[in-house]
Amino acid sequence: MTRSLTTLRVAVAFALLVGLASMSAPRAQAITTPEILQSSMSTQCLDYQVIGVCAWLYCSAWGCTVRTSVRVKHYIPELVVSAYENTGDNPWTEIAMLSPPTGDALGGGSARESVAQQHSNTHFKNVDAIGHPSELFYQFASGFGWFCESNSQPLMPYFISTLDALAWRSGVPEMAYPEALTPGMREMGAVGDLWSPIYPRSGFVSQTHDYKVAATAAQRAADVVTRSGQPHVYQPLIARDSESSGIWGPDPVKEGDPETHEWQELAPNMRMSCSTFPDGGEDDQLQDPGDYAWALWRPYRCCKKRGQELLYFTGE
């Protein structure tokens, strides 16, 4: 994983050196950092709740007392996950330089008939998962009272599919995993509306609906990033979870489970609400295969640490 982290850091350094001036002209459906910051001010996505109290044992030279603090629950935008057609075309304008164009070699869209063992209903998406620029969000959350924080680093590239070319373009080794070979195991969608299996976690999706292709690719990338030790080139984003510090983070992302995540569509249409896939975004499919982006929000529970030891807490 050290080599993976070094590769990602090199990509960041490259982006900083190139600068904003090197970017191509703005495209349709593009989204900018200020717009992403504005989108984080969503009360529905935040879903702020006071759920209980924490009791702390506080000891000093003059003895010990019990102090209490409010326990809260809310979602935090940790990543911006883009699923797009061609390298260099990330719809997040300022980040597009992290995945420079590499020519037409399977850049995206439907699989080509000239490529053996691929089918016309198989489509491909590049995916980047970048740390959410969450500064404005924390200012927004502070207005509700005590709030939780995550380990997500703003603008940090946690996953760039062009750097994970072997696994993201071939499905190796995950095509041989039980999750990939067992029907009904780790599948995304609803009863009567199956979108796609999660495994193998690659950019190729057997699906004709472009929005569902992009959403599946984004879900797969989030599945990878929120776990450690996966056979991909990436930087893990492990949730903060320390009961002794009064922080309870979510489990790794699991498709359809709001207790691990929710998605907020950013492009092609920005929504000020969050949900899990299927999310009704099928109507936002672009006429031609195109580029999409979502913010990944994850739920945290926390309370202010007011002593050396947590005695007990209440609430879900």
Side-chain angles (χ1 to χ4, degrees):
M1 199 58 64
T2 300
R3 184 177 64 180
S4 303
L5 178 56
T6 300
T7 304
L8 291 171
R9 285 174 173 168
V10 168
V12 176
F14 170 76
L16 294 175
L17 289 172
V18 172
L20 296 178
S22 66
M23 294 185 303
S24 59
R27 309 182 311 278
Q29 291 87 44
I31 189 168
T32 64
T33 300
E35 291 173 321
I36 293 174
L37 287 168
Q38 189 67 30
S39 73
S40 68
M41 299 175 66
S42 165
T43 55
Q44 192 275 339
C45 291
L46 175 68
D47 193 19
Y48 188 94
Q49 302 174 50
V50 176
I51 59 174
V53 298
C54 292
W56 300 89
L57 179 64
Y58 175 78
C59 295
S60 67
W62 295 272
C64 296
T65 59
V66 175
R67 295 180 173 182
T68 61
S69 58
V70 173
R71 188 165 183 254
V72 302
K73 172 188 176 183
H74 65 81
Y75 285 78
I76 299 174
E78 293 192 310
L79 296 172
V80 174
V81 183
S82 306
Y84 54 98
E85 284 297 288
N86 297 300
T87 54
D89 282 351
N90 187 321
W92 184 359
T93 305
E94 294 86 353
I95 297 299
M97 65 183 72
L98 291 180
S99 180
T102 58
D104 296 328
L106 287 176
S110 58
R112 304 177 182 180
E113 295 180 0
S114 60
V115 180
Q117 299 178 342
Q118 292 185 354
H119 305 282
S120 59
N121 68 336
T122 298
H123 294 249
F124 177 84
K125 294 289 185 183
N126 293 285
V127 173
D128 297 339
I130 309 296
H132 194 287
S134 51
E135 295 88 347
L136 189 59
F137 163 77
Y138 285 117
Q139 296 178 27
F140 170 64
S142 67
F144 291 81
W146 181 254
F147 63 93
C148 312
E149 297 185 59
S150 82
N151 283 330
S152 176
Q153 299 298 311
L155 305 182
M156 172 71 181
Y158 288 93
F159 179 80
I160 297 178
S161 60
T162 54
L163 302 181
D164 185 44
L166 176 60
W168 196 251
R169 292 182 179 270
S170 71
V172 175
E174 293 180 355
M175 63 174 58
Y177 282 20
E179 295 92 335
L181 300 174
T182 307
M185 189 174 182
R186 297 298 310 274
E187 292 184 343
M188 190 170 82
V191 176
D193 184 24
L194 177 63
W195 286 28
S196 179
I198 296 298
Y199 280 78
R201 294 171 299 182
S202 74
F204 285 100
V205 181
S206 294
Q207 170 66 251
T208 58
H209 194 289
D210 194 55
Y211 180 89
K212 295 179 181 180
V213 171
T216 297
Q219 185 76 45
R220 290 174 175 177
D223 197 89
V224 170
V225 169
T226 57
R227 292 167 168 82
S228 59
Q230 305 302 296
H232 292 265
V233 177
Y234 73 109
Q235 171 65 20
L237 175 56
I238 306 303
R240 296 184 67 186
D241 189 70
S242 174
E243 184 172 305
S244 63
S245 297
I247 302 171
W248 295 265
D251 291 332
V253 163
K254 179 72 178 295
E255 61 280 1
D257 182 6
E259 283 300 309
T260 63
H261 76 291
E262 286 192 341
W263 293 100
Q264 177 190 22
E265 184 180 344
L266 301 177
N269 298 310
M270 182 184 292
R271 298 180 182 273
M272 295 301 287
S273 60
C274 291
S275 62
T276 58
F277 298 132
D279 63 342
E282 297 91 321
D283 293 338
D284 293 333
Q285 174 173 251
L286 299 172
Q287 184 174 359
D288 296 318
D291 309 328
Y292 304 81
W294 293 267
L296 178 71
W297 294 66
R298 304 186 69 201
Y300 283 78
R301 296 164 175 83
C302 66
C303 55
K304 184 176 182 179
K305 186 173 182 178
R306 299 198 62 206
Q308 291 87 2
E309 183 177 352
L310 178 63
L311 299 175
Y312 65 88
F313 62 89
T314 64
E316 58 179 313

